[in-house]
Structure formats: structure tokens, C-alpha cells
Amino acid sequence: MNFRLLKTTFHKKHGADRICFTHHPSSVICSSKYNLDATGESLRYLSMYDNRCLRYFKGHKERIVSLCMSPVNDSFMSGSLDHTVRIWDLRVNACQGILHLRGRPTVAYDQQGLVFAVAMEGGAIKLFDSRSYDKGPFDTFLVGGDTAEVCDIKFSSDGKSMLLTTTNNNIYILDAYGGEKRCGYSLEPSPNVIIEATFTPDGQYVVSGSGDGNLHAWSINKRNEQVACWNSHIGVPSCLKWAPRRAMFAAASSVLTFWIPNDSNAEPTRMDTEAGVEAEHPSQ
């Protein structure tokens, strides 16, 4: 498989931190890393086609730690260390809504965009109706037994499960309707690295990196039983993403690797490229 670098953009004034794609294939939302107090320009709507900023979104006073786009419209959410979650619309500069919370807020939409989840300190997960979030959460779950903050939330594709990853590299799967803890996994920590976990597209398995440099997989229907473990070959994989509509996922550290299922019981086939550098690797 061949890879080539398509474009590089520079953000010397604000820096680039969190990023997410919009529904337009050549535009993204990017959070700022610097000068938040001076300008308040915490978010930028960028056109990658002509390297142009389409809109600034001002409001957050501290670094943004969570960013997600609605799957159904132009709304998006940002969670910041200033203890707020802000709700935005790509077409409007002004913030459309704000939630004041405790701790490090982490946000996620469900697959239909009807519900969003916000994690806060103490293991509390609050669920909001995205059409009437101003009325407060319609449900609150408590993970319990873990005081670490949630750094990532994902809904499964069928909306029945939630995947939580904490700052001390624990993973929990909750029933998205009742909040019951279905599974829990502990991973080898890595200093100053937060691990990301992800559902497979069918929602039946969870794949995660770990501080030991391995990739781990579990079946959510087999409780705490690990079904696979293989070497990532890239050190500590801190980012994992499944390709939409394809049986392939990417794992990244300083090297970007792509994985596809094997027909045998061996580990998946790996295709890799050093991040930011054109490379060629045949599929195995």
C-alpha cells in the first residue's frame, strides 16, 4: 500500500491541538494550543483546500481536551480545562450553549446525534438530549471504584454500549441505557501518554493500545476475557481509529500503521508508514 503526504499547514500563532473532521471532506475543526487568554480564539474552522480559516469560535479560556462533531448536522461540542462544555454551530460564531461542570469534561455524541454524553470528575457520566440539553441531563451514571478522570468516550455503532478510557489507562464498557458496567480492563500505563481504545465497527469487540507496546482485543460478550494480543511494532500506540465502512484500523505513535483482518488465527496484517513521510509497503 502506498502513502504520500498530501498537504502540510502551519499554525504558529495558535498551535494545533485537538482536531476533528466536519461533514465536508476538505474542512476540519481545530483547537488552539497557545494564546488562549490573550485572544480567546480557542477553535478554528479551517478549509484544508486553500489553507484558510473560515471562522473563529471564541469562549474557552483554557486548553480544549475533548472535541466532537455531530454525526447528523453542523453542531459540534468542545470540552475544556476551564470546566465548561460549549455547544457550537459551524455557521455561527457565537456559542449556542454552555454547560458548567466539575473536573475535566469529555464529550461524545451517539451515532444518531440524538444524545450526547459528558464525563466529569468522580466517574459521573451525564446523558443529555441534544435537542433540549438546556433542561439538564435526563440520566446520570456512576462508574464507581475509579477516581481517575475519563479522557475519552465512544458509543458503539448500535448505540447500546459506551466505551470509557481513563487517564490511568483503565477501560470500561457500560450499558448505554442503564449505565451498568459490563466489562473492565486495566492496561499497562505509559508515562505522559493517554491510551485510546475503540469499538470494532460491529460493536462486538474493543481494541486498545497499551504502555507495553502491545495491541489488545476483548469481546464485550465474554466479560473480562482477552481474545487477542499482538505487538504493535511502533512502541506505545496512543491513537486508534477504525476506518469508516472498512474492516481496517489505524494505530499511531511516531509511526502510523494500518491493520486489516487475517483469515487465519494469526495477528492481523500490518501496513505501516512513518508519520508524515511518503513510504511504500506491500501488504503481507
Side-chain angles (χ1 to χ4, degrees), residues 3-15:
F3 302 94
R4 63 188 179 90
L5 179 65
L6 294 177
K7 181 172 288 190
T8 301
T9 62
F10 297 94
H11 307 270
K12 294 182 179 180
K13 179 181 178 182
H14 301 286

Side-chain angles (χ1 to χ4, degrees), residues 15 20 26 33 97-98 115 134 178 189 196 245 251 264:
C20 72
S26 63
K33 200 170 186 178
I98 183 169
V115 172
D134 55 323
E196 182 176 9
R245 299 175 296 279
S264 68

